Amino acid sequence: MKNISLDDFGPIISTKESGNKILNLITDNLKSDAKISVDLGKIRSMATFCAKQIFGKLYVSLGAEKFFENVEIVNASDDLKSIIKIGIQSAIQENMND
């Protein structure tokens, strides 16, 4: 399992540019490794649109089962976990409306 640390993007992930870089980093590593862990240890907060941009897109593109099998989110605070869930829910709703 490949570990991807987002420390360099923190302590707050709040720009579309950062979101794109993180999504590309995760996507590129998923191609070479079946499973990855995303370490949010030094991330204190994340804009919900970034959570949607990163984790929501991953969830929609991979599907629920593959997302939870292949992407492990580690060292995330309860607040961050909630933001990520909101981002995923938002991406699912948007995808259903398309």
Side-chain angles (χ1 to χ4, degrees):
M1 180 180 288
K2 170 90 175 180
N3 184 44
I4 299 170
S5 173
L6 300 186
D7 290 356
D8 292 342
F9 297 97
I12 299 170
I13 298 171
S14 62
T15 66
K16 188 173 184 175
E17 181 182 89
S18 291
N20 280 330
K21 287 180 183 178
I22 294 166
L23 178 62
N24 290 335
L25 179 66
I26 293 171
T27 303
D28 290 346
N29 279 284
L30 273 173
K31 290 176 186 172
S32 59
D33 287 286
K35 297 183 181 191
I36 60 161
S37 68
V38 181
D39 189 342
L40 297 168
K42 292 191 178 176
I43 306 301
R44 289 198 320 251
S45 189
M46 178 183 297
T48 52
F49 77 87
C50 288
K52 176 183 171 186
Q53 178 184 14
I54 301 163
F55 297 103
K57 281 186 180 179
L58 280 172
Y59 185 94
V60 169
S61 68
L62 293 173
E65 186 176 334
K66 202 166 194 176
F67 178 86
F68 288 113
E69 283 179 8
N70 297 347
V71 180
E72 179 183 18
I73 298 168
V74 296
N75 298 321
S77 67
D78 288 342
D79 287 343
L80 267 176
K81 289 176 186 175
S82 294
I83 292 167
I84 291 168
K85 285 178 186 174
I86 292 167
I88 290 172
Q89 289 171 340
S90 179
I92 291 168
Q93 288 174 341
E94 186 177 280
N95 192 49
M96 289 171 59
N97 294 334
D98 285 348

